[in-house]
Amino acid sequence: MHILVTGFEPFGNDQFNASGEAVRLVPDNADGHRITKAILPVSFQRSGEVLAALLQEHLPDALICVGEAGGRVEISLEVQGANEDDARIPDNDGAQPIKQSIVHPGETYRPASLDPEMILRALHQAGHGAYLSEDAGRFVCNHIAYLAYGQTVPALFIHVPALRPTGQKPLVGAETDKSEAALRVQPRTGYTLPVLVEALTVVLASLSEQTE
């Protein structure tokens, strides 16, 4: 099986994005699956264009998209994407859409096309903290989740905590959760980058059961 896995570049003034760093470290082969890795721009316009080009070039059997969420302390599997861009702050291109449809006309929500509950069970069985989320926010992560869930290839979007190297704090990354509480809280998490890589590898190994 050939799996395309994407993460995101650093955003704003941060020099680190946990999703992109974890994806770069995922092995090229997981449980016999060939893994292609790519980094998406934090851009409402360009992220979808890059994803479409990657899908056309690589023709994967499954798609896993990974982003970071600054207000979350565990891995969250997004069960749906919403047809709305509503940016609290500008993306890396300076764009800040407010309550704009991603696809017009389009479904209000698109469900994940890989079974998130099966992947959740695999993560729990491997000892990783994770849960199902019904709200991917309205920033570029949700934008990609909505587009990914409209593809013919089975897809799932995964949020990971906004980890940073020792001594650094995430300056951004709370765009997924807009509540004031989420924006104030720096995530306290037992995750490290190697543990995130291990969890993503578990996800990739679990896909055989869903795509056979």
Side-chain angles (χ1 to χ4, degrees):
M1 180 189 303
H2 181 199
I3 306 170
L4 174 62
V5 186
T6 69
F8 281 102
E9 68 182 357
F11 170 48
N13 293 322
D14 272 341
Q15 302 302 310
F16 191 93
N17 187 306
S19 70
E21 296 301 322
V23 165
R24 286 190 180 97
L25 294 173
V26 165
D28 295 331
N29 187 288
D31 197 30
H33 305 321
R34 179 164 59 96
I35 311 301
T36 295
K37 299 169 283 186
I39 304 300
L40 301 179
V42 181
S43 161
F44 285 100
Q45 178 175 341
R46 291 186 294 120
S47 60
E49 295 171 350
V50 171
L51 180 62
L54 288 167
L55 290 171
Q56 184 174 12
E57 176 184 358
H58 297 290
L59 300 175
D61 301 304
L63 170 64
I64 297 292
C65 299
V66 186
E68 66 171 22
R72 301 185 185 183
V73 298
E74 289 189 326
I75 291 171
S76 48
L77 311 178
E78 300 298 344
V79 302
Q80 63 186 10
N83 190 13
E84 184 180 64
D85 291 336
D86 190 20
R88 180 178 67 86
I89 55 179
D91 66 12
N92 277 351
D93 292 340
Q96 189 176 1
I98 304 297
K99 297 188 181 302
Q100 293 182 11
S101 296
I102 299 170
V103 176
H104 183 75
E107 309 98 318
T108 303
Y109 294 96
R110 286 176 175 170
S113 45
L114 281 171
D115 183 359
E117 293 187 357
M118 183 177 293
I119 294 176
L120 182 68
R121 288 194 296 271
L123 285 167
H124 285 173
Q125 289 169 1
H128 295 287
Y131 65 96
L132 302 182
S133 166
E134 295 185 353
D135 188 353
R138 296 296 185 273
F139 203 61
V140 181
C141 284
N142 172 76
H143 184 93
I144 283 297
Y146 186 82
L147 293 178
Y149 295 171
Q151 304 298 320
T152 55
V153 60
L156 180 68
F157 193 99
I158 299 174
H159 267 119
V160 299
L163 304 183
R164 293 294 183 270
T166 302
Q168 295 184 26
K169 292 183 178 181
L171 303 176
V172 294
E175 287 64 49
T176 300
D177 302 291
K178 291 187 176 182
S179 71
E180 288 301 316
L183 298 181
R184 287 196 303 268
V185 172
Q186 299 293 349
R188 296 190 300 272
T189 173
Y191 280 103
T192 62
L193 189 57
V195 173
L196 283 185
V197 174
E198 179 184 315
L200 291 179
T201 304
V202 168
V203 169
L204 298 175
S206 74
L207 297 187
S208 298
E209 302 176 37
Q210 299 203 40
T211 56
E212 289 178 348

